[in-house]
Amino acid sequence: MSMEFSLNQAQERAVLTADGPVLIVAGAGSGKTMVLAHRIAHLIEKGVKADQILAITFTNKAAEEMRNRINSLIPNSQFPIPKPWVGTFHSFSAFVLRQSGRAIGVGKTFSIVDEEDSLALVKEALADLELDPKKFEPRKLRALISRKKNEMEGRENFNQSYFEKILVRVWEKYEEKLEKAKALDFDDLLLKTVELFSKHPGILEEWQERFRYLHVDEYQDTNLVQYHLAKLLAQKYRNICVVGDIDQAIYSWRGADFRNILHFERDWPEAKIITLEENYRSTQLILDAANAVIVKNKSRVPKNLFSQKKSGPKITLFESVSEEEEASFIAALSKTLVRDGKIPPREIAVLYRTNFQSRILEEKMLEENIPYQVVGVKFYERKEIKDTLAYLKASLNSEDLLSVKRIINFPPRGIGKALLTKFLAGEKLRQAEEFIKITSEIKDAIETKNASEAVKSVIQKSGLEDYLQDGTEESEMRLSNIKELVTLARRYDEAKPPEGILKLLEDAALMSEQDTMKKEENSVKLMTVHAAKGLEFKMVFIAGLEEGLFPHRAISREDEELRQEEERRLFYVALTRAKEKIYLSYAVFRTIFGERRINLPSSFLLDIPEEFLERAPDKIITLES
């Protein structure tokens, strides 16, 4: 196999350092995905079996890009079968548990509950315990349970205060419901895999033998469970290569701990450290502005991004009176640039700190007739799609009561709450006979047909197709979405039944915001900065740069310095999404949760040297400290 290396010196060193622990400190836009792909191709070229290579990413989109890059480096005629395993932490854990989970009581056809279903189980737990959901907010309880799982803390550690005792009761009831449904939540996928490897050294060794070379992307975003999982897998052969950048660590709110990357040398004393500083995405002016912002953070590995793109326009700063004027400015300018042929819509991104900001931006995009997509509105969360998936899950796993409850009377079969209670208690009901027959037939289809045919069988046998043909525009739209699911399911047709449907259900549950982006759609992208991580655009608008909004004002004042540093990293990520041009904007007045507020410009704007900024035409902006 031959590969052409068009790599700089640091990248080539990262590719060729094949054995032992390696930490690649990769700045934004420094070509880390290309480096990882070249590294994997190089391992295969030097004789490592492809199926002994594991690459873990944080999104399905990143995994797909990695696979495509690896494929492009090795001619199809020479590409080994099976291929390297590339996927997310959660999908890898599901893969392990479906093959080896029986050792800890996890069967192959377990269901994965997504965030919405997980929240529904917490609400059920509160109801069972006769606790007031207004007093004990379900979302807060769900978030706490998730955080404690990610921190690997058991329920036995939380039984001190009154609230902690309530949390433990809800948590226990929640776990009972998961167990009864033979289901795992997102956090369980990771926890159960670590439990499996910790309790069964023989099984761990089987997986260590299977994957002798481990790669972990975005290592700064790993939480404690993911950290332990990677360490367990790599401890035998010590061939672990991690890629990360503390300056882009923006997920502490979901348990990520950037200190994992700082501790890499402690965990692997013989590790080689390689820093990638050349940026291939942005102009030098953008990088100088971003460097000036991030250098104020204390918790970081020093580096200084540089680019061969020396020229580039200044960053434009726009002060608006209100959020309406801000959104109008963004929409009107986007329309002008697109109309004049200066930039296609797909190369424009509008970034914001919180989701509520999208509403007014959408309104103005519609007014200007600009094609746009709000990234993060998930196809798999639409009601009709969740109904279809629930039929698949209930057919595979009759204990998945959450799915059964969802669809036993949809389309209507005359099974109200009273009859449902009797059915769940084990009573035989005439009204439920049809439902049992339907799920049995769907199960047969799942086990004998390819994935797309199995989804078609749900549409036909469940009665959804007939039910949604009522002549209304809404029903027509819902039916077309279900038919789109059939199209999506074709991606899984190559897998043997029922593996294709199991993978479809897994991917649907684990879908990230970026997975909602439509590649073929030439539209302006509206998204939070968190959702933009890893993406790039020619032009980037960063809206809502007001003190209290970005940087976001935390409810708690604890660890304020750490919080401020993470907000600054988030701003750094936003800046480094841009290849050519950045517009920064803020509103003097903004309505938030019905309250009209007067705002100060974001303190982050003061971090950008004046010589990198220009004022938007006909606007006078003063930044006062």
Side-chain angles (χ1 to χ4, degrees):
M1 277 173 253
S2 62
M3 294 178 294
E4 292 184 9
F5 286 83
S6 55
L7 307 173
N8 64 40
Q9 193 173 356
Q11 289 175 330
E12 189 166 329
R13 186 175 162 228
V15 167
L16 299 178
T17 308
D19 297 312
V22 180
L23 167 60
I24 303 173
V25 180
S30 61
K32 66 180 177 67
T33 303
M34 179 183 69
V35 166
L36 278 177
H38 272 88
R39 193 174 193 277
I40 290 168
H42 173 63
L43 286 171
I44 295 169
E45 188 180 48
K46 72 188 283 278
V48 175
K49 291 180 179 177
D51 59 352
Q52 290 184 337
I53 300 171
L54 173 64
I56 295 179
T57 64
F58 267 79
T59 65
N60 292 325
K61 182 179 181 298
E64 184 182 1
E65 184 181 349
M66 180 78 70
R67 286 188 209 101
N68 291 339
R69 283 185 181 257
I70 295 168
N71 291 347
S72 70
L73 290 171
I74 304 174
N76 285 336
S77 60
Q78 300 178 37
F79 206 98
I81 302 293
K83 298 180 180 181
W85 202 99
V86 184
T88 66
F89 267 108
H90 289 90
S91 60
F92 174 71
S93 296
F95 176 58
V96 170
L97 291 172
R98 293 209 190 276
Q99 293 202 30
S100 305
R102 288 183 186 82
I104 55 168
V106 178
K108 187 172 184 176
T109 58
F110 66 84
S111 298
I112 301 173
V113 298
D114 61 19
E115 291 180 8
E116 183 186 326
D117 290 341
S118 177
L119 181 62
L121 288 177
V122 170
K123 290 176 179 176
E124 282 187 16
L126 283 167
D128 288 356
L129 295 167
E130 298 182 344
L131 293 168
D132 185 355
K134 292 179 181 176
K135 188 175 180 182
F136 302 102
E137 213 280 306
R139 286 189 186 277
K140 182 180 178 182
L141 290 168
R142 170 69 192 98
L144 281 169
I145 291 169
S146 177
R147 188 191 307 167
K148 297 308 176 188
K149 285 187 177 185
N150 285 325
E151 293 169 355
M152 300 182 75
E153 294 193 47
R155 298 189 291 279
E156 65 277 1
N157 297 327
F158 304 94
N159 210 14
Q160 302 301 315
S161 68
Y162 173 68
F163 180 77
E164 284 184 347
K165 288 178 179 177
I166 294 294
L167 173 64
V168 168
R169 289 177 64 200
V170 174
W171 190 348
E172 285 175 346
K173 184 64 71 173
Y174 171 76
E175 293 298 331
E176 282 176 21
K177 290 179 177 294
L178 281 175
E179 192 172 340
K180 189 174 181 181
K182 294 182 181 174
L184 301 178
D185 64 19
F186 292 168
D187 308 309
D188 289 331
L189 291 172
L190 304 173
L191 270 175
K192 294 287 185 184
T193 307
V194 170
E195 179 190 338
L196 174 69
F197 287 165
S198 301
K199 288 183 176 178
H200 297 274
I203 292 175
L204 170 61
E205 190 168 5
E206 288 173 13
W207 287 94
Q208 289 171 334
E209 288 294 333
R210 183 164 182 173
F211 295 114
R212 298 188 182 194
Y213 287 83
L214 172 62
H215 301 77
V216 183
D217 195 9
E218 305 285 9
Y219 195 66
Q220 78 281 347
D221 292 334
T222 53
N223 60 31
L224 188 62
V225 194
Q226 291 161 336
Y227 163 81
H228 278 292
L229 180 53
K231 197 173 176 185
L232 283 165
L233 272 172
Q235 67 186 10
K236 182 172 184 179
Y237 289 101
R238 304 183 75 78
N239 295 320
I240 177 171
C241 172
V242 305
V243 184
D245 178 14
I246 288 176
D247 292 341
Q248 297 184 73
I250 58 174
Y251 291 110
S252 68
W253 51 275
R254 67 181 191 196
D257 189 347
F258 66 83
R259 289 171 296 190
N260 290 343
I261 204 168
L262 294 175
H263 294 158
F264 190 80
E265 290 177 87
R266 178 200 67 189
D267 296 335
W268 311 94
E270 75 274 34
K272 294 180 174 65
I273 315 298
I274 301 163
T275 303
L276 307 181
E277 293 181 298
E278 183 170 355
N279 175 287
Y280 292 89
R281 175 187 300 153
S282 309
T283 65
Q284 189 61 51
L285 183 140
I286 289 172
L287 296 181
D288 287 343
N291 287 332
V293 168
I294 203 63
V295 76
K296 294 200 169 186
N297 275 9
K298 295 174 185 175
S299 300
R300 63 188 298 263
V301 177
K303 67 177 179 307
N304 200 50
L305 293 182
F306 66 92
S307 172
Q308 300 297 332
K309 302 175 184 176
K310 298 301 179 188
S311 62
K314 288 188 175 183
I315 296 169
T316 301
L317 193 53
F318 177 73
E319 177 192 67
S320 62
V321 173
S322 64
E323 67 265 37
E324 287 89 354
E325 186 182 33
E326 177 187 53
S328 293
F329 168 76
I330 291 169
L333 181 55
S334 298
K335 182 178 183 178
T336 299
L337 293 168
V338 169
R339 183 192 62 206
D340 294 348
K342 293 182 179 178
I343 188 169
R346 67 166 63 89
E347 284 291 350
I348 301 173
V350 185
L351 309 183
Y352 36 81
R353 179 63 182 81
T354 55
N355 279 306
F356 80 83
Q357 291 171 259
S358 70
R359 184 200 61 79
I360 188 66
L361 288 162
E362 284 191 78
E363 189 178 300
K364 298 304 178 184
M365 291 285 174
L366 284 168
E367 283 180 15
E368 297 288 359
N369 199 27
I370 300 170
Y372 72 91
Q373 182 194 2
V374 181
V375 176
V377 178
K378 299 179 183 178
F379 174 77
Y380 287 116
E381 288 182 358
R382 298 177 190 274
K383 180 189 180 301
E384 59 274 17
I385 300 302
K386 292 205 68 152
D387 290 339
T388 308
L389 296 177
Y391 270 101
L392 292 168
K393 291 198 281 187
S395 300
L396 274 169
N397 174 11
S398 60
E399 303 297 320
D400 184 350
L401 299 184
L402 206 63
S403 295
V404 170
K405 287 178 189 175
R406 183 180 188 99
I407 42 92
I408 193 170
N409 197 44
F410 188 78
R413 297 185 181 90
I415 303 174
K417 286 186 178 179
L419 287 178
L420 175 60
T421 303
K422 289 180 181 179
F423 176 77
L424 296 177
E427 289 187 30
K428 287 189 176 181
L429 297 176
R430 178 182 51 79
Q431 294 90 333
E433 287 174 4
E434 182 192 357
F435 174 73
I436 294 168
K437 180 173 178 286
I438 288 167
T439 53
S440 177
E441 289 175 354
I442 292 171
K443 185 177 184 182
D444 285 343
I446 292 170
E447 292 177 343
T448 58
K449 297 181 178 180
N450 61 30
S452 61
E453 289 299 320
V455 175
K456 278 184 190 175
S457 75
V458 172
I459 299 172
Q460 294 157 0
K461 295 180 184 300
S462 65
L464 285 172
E465 187 171 36
D466 292 338
Y467 181 76
L468 291 173
Q469 288 179 334
D470 62 3
T472 65
E473 189 176 336
E474 183 184 355
S475 290
E476 190 176 320
M477 181 191 72
R478 290 182 184 278
L479 187 56
S480 67
N481 284 334
I482 295 176
K483 288 179 178 176
E484 177 65 16
L485 183 61
V486 176
T487 304
L488 285 170
R490 288 194 185 122
R491 298 178 190 172
Y492 305 87
D493 278 352
E494 290 181 15
K496 276 184 180 180
E499 302 300 329
I501 287 296
L502 287 171
K503 191 71 176 79
L504 168 65
L505 292 172
E506 177 190 311
D507 287 350
L510 301 177
M511 194 179 194
S512 72
E513 290 176 307
Q514 285 188 11
D515 296 326
T516 68
M517 282 183 62
K518 299 171 185 172
K519 293 179 189 174
E520 70 285 353
E521 190 176 279
N522 191 14
S523 59
V524 174
K525 300 297 184 279
L526 311 182
M527 68 185 92
T528 65
V529 183
H530 282 99
K533 175 82 173 294
L535 303 178
E536 58 182 41
F537 304 89
K538 280 187 180 178
M539 178 181 293
V540 170
F541 292 92
I542 308 174
L545 281 162
E546 297 135 31
E547 202 64 17
L549 182 56
F550 198 1
H552 198 63
R553 184 184 295 114
I555 297 171
S556 168
R557 305 295 286 182
E558 292 178 20
D559 299 324
E560 186 162 344
E561 186 175 343
L562 287 175
R563 181 190 63 80
Q564 190 76 0
E565 289 211 350
E566 178 147 330
E567 289 291 307
R568 189 175 285 111
R569 291 194 294 268
L570 194 58
F571 185 45
Y572 173 84
V573 166
L575 292 171
T576 54
R577 298 313 91 201
K579 293 190 272 190
E580 295 176 7
K581 177 67 181 177
I582 297 174
Y583 286 87
L584 307 176
S585 62
Y586 65 92
V588 176
F589 298 95
R590 185 180 299 273
T591 302
I592 300 179
F593 302 125
E595 179 187 341
R596 194 72 168 163
R597 298 181 185 175
I598 302 176
N599 306 302
L600 290 173
S602 170
S603 53
F604 293 157
L605 294 173
L606 297 171
D607 295 339
I608 301 176
E610 188 70 26
E611 63 264 28
F612 301 148
L613 295 169
E614 64 178 10
R615 276 27 181 188
D618 304 319
K619 292 287 171 185
I620 300 173
I621 300 175
T622 58
L623 296 178
E624 298 177 0
S625 49

